[in-house]
Amino acid sequence: MADSTAILVLGMPRSGTSAVTRVLNLHGASLSDKLLPAAKPNPKGFFESADALAIHERLLKAMGRNWYDIAEMPEGWLDLPQTLEAQRDLKALVKRDYFDKTIWVIKEPRMCRLVPLWIRVLESLDIKLRVLLVTRHPEEVVRSVARMVGEDQWSPEHTKILWLEYFFEAEKHTRGLSRALITYDQLLNDWEFHIDRIAHELSIQWPISSTAAKPHVDDYLGAENRHHRHCPAERVPETELSLAENVYITCNEMKGDYWSALKSLYSEFSAVFAFFQRPMQDLIHKAATEQVSMMSIQQSELDELRNHHNTVFFSQQTELNELRRYHSEVFYSQKSELDTLRSESEAARLRHQSEVDELRRQGEELANTHAVELSELRKQKEALILTHQAELEELTFALGHAKDEVATAQREREALTAALNKRTGELDVARIEEKKVSSALLELQSSYATLVSLAGSKKWLLRRLFTTSNKN
């Protein structure tokens, strides 16, 4: 894994290590696929290897330590059997999670106490090592830790000593390595400058530039990321500052050779810590003794509760057995009824299936019959269409011929109309002439009657004359 570069993010819990790790990840540094799930203290996620946490916890527990223990690590702890076992587990974890990663980042606060072990693991795998120390104002850490573990779990002084212990353990064991430092204030106030500064100091190039990562980082580093901000009422003289505050100011301001200044502050802390170490250990031993005594009392109470529980348990067990017997009787009764219902249901299903099969067969026969009839009707339809087309063509032809005859008849009618009009005119003239003839005829008849009358008179006269003549 010679082409692999690991970045160890080291910092006290609640110091902003999760935010720094996520920002590095948004710049292209890979994370493990098995991360600790998000929780109430960090709703956006811890970005922390769950397996690394488990290995660290097993090792600390095997050495009689825990993450909030302010005592130094046991002498010679690197060569203890449990440490060698943890080393094998960490090597397997790195090979599994980061074997194909060019630049990757790992963060787990207990690493501050276990840096020498991680250096040994990465050197054995020929992985380039880079270290990023992360810190936050101790007062903000005190309030954040109190919120996480409970306000009355331990004093602010305990948290500040733990803050110094975590920071100086990480600083002491990374001297001579390629390392950089960032505070939570620097990250929130000007992350672009400081992330690029870290890349320069660690001699690495981010796979994703700050320009490309900016929208995602700005979205992640919202105002809700800071729950506890330390705002002193007034400027405190440097001589009145606590050791923890001096350490933080040195980290945040980065004036001059701040690494040497931090080394001097570590010497001061070591001297103070050595002075108070024995009384502190005595207090810890006394607290442990009191805890054992309290545990003995709690064990006695627990035994009483266990006996009471056993009595209640056996009583409830008897009731439970009776309920089970009753349940068994009801169960088998209901099972018999259920079997009968299933048998009847199966018979009904078979009858229904038979009827369905018969209906399906009839349906298929009807479908076949309808298909034949439909085919025949289609043929008849086609024949009728052809016949109607022929008749339509004949009718169309006859209609055309009829139109011609109608046109001829129309012309003849017009000619007849003209002739009729002419005859009507002639008839009118004839009628006039007829009237004249009738009038003349009437006159003639009158004259004829007169003549007849005269003739009769003449005949009578002639007869008289003739008769007279004969007599004579």
Side-chain angles (χ1 to χ4, degrees):
M1 302 177 67
D3 293 332
S4 182
T5 299
I7 304 173
L8 304 186
V9 174
L10 306 178
M12 164 82 178
R14 315 311 301 160
S15 292
T17 53
S18 298
V20 170
T21 302
R22 177 54 174 162
V23 172
L24 297 187
N25 172 240
L26 292 173
H27 281 76
S30 301
L31 292 171
S32 169
D33 292 332
K34 297 180 66 177
L35 296 177
L36 198 66
K40 186 176 181 180
N42 270 22
K44 291 186 176 182
F46 293 89
F47 308 101
E48 189 170 301
S49 170
D51 289 341
L53 170 60
I55 296 170
H56 295 162
E57 274 289 283
R58 284 199 301 269
L59 177 57
L60 290 174
K61 185 177 181 180
M63 293 187 296
R65 294 287 191 271
N66 50 54
W67 76 269
Y68 50 86
D69 193 341
I70 61 176
E72 291 184 344
M73 296 291 286
E75 187 175 351
W77 69 273
L78 264 176
D79 298 318
L80 294 175
Q82 51 265 42
T83 305
L84 297 178
E85 180 183 354
Q87 180 178 335
R88 289 190 294 270
D89 292 341
L90 289 175
K91 285 180 68 173
L93 181 151
V94 171
K95 288 180 180 179
R96 184 197 69 197
D97 290 358
Y98 308 105
F99 75 98
D100 59 343
K101 306 295 191 295
T102 303
I103 297 180
W104 52 278
V105 58
I106 184 166
K107 161 256 178 182
E108 204 288 299
R110 294 157 187 80
M111 292 170 65
C112 292
R113 316 298 301 271
L114 305 172
V115 173
L117 174 59
W118 271 94
I119 293 174
R120 180 185 289 181
V121 168
L122 296 177
E123 286 179 347
S124 69
L125 294 173
D126 196 23
I127 296 175
K128 300 185 193 70
L129 175 60
R130 301 290 186 269
V131 177
L132 178 58
L133 276 70
V134 180
T135 189
R136 183 181 184 182
H137 197 286
E139 293 295 338
E140 294 182 7
V141 175
V142 165
R143 289 196 291 273
S144 185
V145 168
R147 182 186 178 199
M148 179 179 70
V149 303
E151 297 291 340
D152 56 348
Q153 291 300 306
W154 55 59
S155 66
E157 289 72 20
H158 180 102
T159 303
K160 290 179 183 179
I161 293 173
L162 195 64
W163 183 90
L164 288 166
E165 187 72 16
Y166 265 75
F167 179 80
F168 281 128
E169 286 274 1
E171 190 280 326
K172 176 179 64 175
H173 292 299
T174 57
R175 293 171 187 171
L177 299 178
S178 179
R179 64 181 184 171
L181 174 67
I182 187 172
T183 68
Y184 195 45
D185 282 319
Q186 291 171 346
L187 179 74
L188 296 184
N189 293 336
D190 191 358
W191 68 264
E192 290 181 81
F193 171 79
H194 290 286
I195 294 300
D196 290 341
R197 171 183 61 79
I198 289 169
H200 174 71
E201 293 178 6
L202 297 182
S203 300
I204 58 177
Q205 182 176 357
W206 303 123
I208 300 173
S209 68
S210 292
T211 301
K214 181 174 175 56
H216 306 289
V217 176
D218 286 342
D219 181 62
Y220 172 74
L221 293 178
E224 68 277 8
N225 265 51
R226 187 163 205 160
H227 305 287
H228 307 282
R229 181 185 293 274
H230 175 65
C231 300
E234 57 183 14
R235 183 72 176 180
V236 179
E238 187 174 344
T239 55
E240 297 181 14
L241 292 173
S242 67
L243 177 61
E245 289 173 321
N246 273 321
V247 171
Y248 178 75
I249 291 172
T250 302
C251 293
N252 195 51
E253 293 182 353
M254 291 184 171
K255 293 180 179 179
D257 187 2
Y258 56 90
W259 289 114
S260 296
L262 290 172
K263 187 175 181 181
S264 298
L265 289 168
Y266 169 69
S267 299
E268 182 181 343
F269 170 73
S270 297
V272 175
F273 191 76
F275 181 78
F276 288 101
Q277 185 173 15
R278 181 57 184 270
M280 288 172 61
Q281 287 177 344
D282 291 342
L283 287 173
I284 291 171
H285 177 72
K286 182 180 178 181
T289 303
E290 292 176 352
Q291 184 178 15
V292 170
S293 176
M294 183 63 68
M295 287 179 63
S296 177
I297 295 172
Q298 290 175 345
Q299 183 65 41
S300 176
E301 295 176 352
L302 180 61
D303 291 338
E304 291 181 7
L305 286 172
R306 185 178 288 112
N307 291 333
H308 174 70
H309 167 76
N310 289 337
T311 302
V312 174
F313 171 76
F314 286 120
S315 173
Q316 292 177 342
Q317 185 67 34
T318 302
E319 295 179 4
L320 180 61
N321 291 335
E322 183 65 23
L323 286 172
R324 283 175 176 167
R325 185 188 62 76
Y326 174 74
H327 169 75
S328 179
E329 293 176 357
V330 173
F331 170 76
Y332 285 112
S333 173
Q334 292 178 342
K335 185 175 183 300
S336 176
E337 295 178 2
L338 182 61
D339 291 339
T340 302
L341 288 173
R342 283 175 177 166
S343 177
E344 293 175 354
S345 175
E346 180 64 18
R349 188 189 67 80
L350 292 175
R351 288 195 303 272
H352 174 73
Q353 185 63 43
S354 176
E355 293 174 359
V356 168
D357 292 340
E358 179 62 22
L359 288 172
R360 185 179 289 113
R361 185 187 61 77
Q362 294 177 2
E364 290 175 353
E365 291 179 355
L366 285 173
N368 293 333
T369 301
H370 290 166
V372 172
E373 293 177 354
L374 183 62
S375 177
E376 184 63 27
L377 287 172
R378 284 174 178 166
K379 290 179 182 179
Q380 293 177 5
K381 176 184 175 182
E382 291 174 356
L384 284 172
I385 289 173
L386 293 174
T387 301
H388 291 165
Q389 286 179 344
E391 292 177 354
L392 182 61
E393 290 175 355
E394 291 178 0
L395 289 172
T396 302
F397 176 77
L399 180 61
H401 182 68
K403 286 181 178 179
D404 292 340
E405 291 181 349
V406 167
T408 302
Q410 183 68 24
R411 289 192 297 272
E412 291 178 353
R413 187 177 70 82
E414 290 174 355
L416 287 173
T417 300
L420 181 59
N421 291 335
K422 182 179 179 181
R423 291 293 302 274
T424 300
E426 293 176 352
L427 184 58
D428 291 339
V429 173
R431 283 176 180 165
I432 295 170
E433 292 296 329
E434 182 181 2
K435 288 180 179 179
K436 292 179 180 180
V437 170
S438 297
S439 177
L441 182 58
L442 290 172
E443 292 178 359
L444 182 60
Q445 287 176 349
S446 177
S447 300
Y448 177 71
T450 304
L451 289 175
V452 169
S453 177
L454 291 174
S457 299
K458 286 180 178 183
K459 285 180 178 180
W460 180 78
L461 184 57
L462 287 175
R463 190 179 300 117
R464 290 279 297 189
L465 290 176
F466 180 72
T467 304
T468 307
S469 226
N470 287 332
K471 290 179 176 182
N472 294 322

